Amino acid sequence: MAADTKSRMIGAAIGLLQRHGLAAMSFTEVLAESGAARGAIYHHFPGGKQQLALEAARQNAADIRGHLHELPDRTPREVVEAFLGNVRPVVEASARGGGCAVAAVTIDGGAAIADQGSLLAVAAEGFAGWVGELTGKLTHAGLSEPRAADLATLMVVTLEGAHVLCRAAGSVAPFDRAAAAVLSTVPDPD
């Protein structure tokens, strides 16, 4: 039961980070969305908001890496097309006001966050894991490791940039343009 409560709280925090960012994420909202009792806050997160944000970003990064692991990898184009297809609904949510929970912890969390460095480290680790997973897929699909790493980085940068541009535009059009550009860079296997 306790693990379930903690998991629900982390899930609620992920959603709140995606919708509101770190500074606006509050324990009141986490409790309301998770159905947890007020006493659960410091039982599960004695480090307060910072600990909850760290665990939420870490969990979200791991979840996304798991999705990336499932991408097909027969050809580089297949990897890129599957990635773009899988992230499009996430970017569509950004056009309606969503965002990335991992990226959200890279932005100043205000006075409630004592150590921004630990949040940045979790985000960097998460993004590096995504790039690593995509690099492995692209290498398996026939690209050299350096070319695969460059393309994987471009894919993650495209996703993260699309969150911002699509949210600002209220449209998925910036992502569609970037996706077409990314696809145009997919090299033939080495």
Side-chain angles (χ1 to χ4, degrees), residues 143-164:
L143 293 183
S144 68
E145 195 280 330
R147 289 177 84 183
D150 289 347
L151 182 54
T153 301
L154 177 61
M155 292 162 67
V156 172
V157 168
T158 298
L159 169 61
E160 292 305 316
H163 283 300
V164 176

Side-chain angles (χ1 to χ4, degrees), residues 39-55:
I41 294 171
Y42 291 103
H43 173 73
H44 293 294
F45 306 101
K49 182 177 180 177
Q50 181 164 335
Q51 182 184 356
L52 176 57
L54 282 167
E55 291 191 35

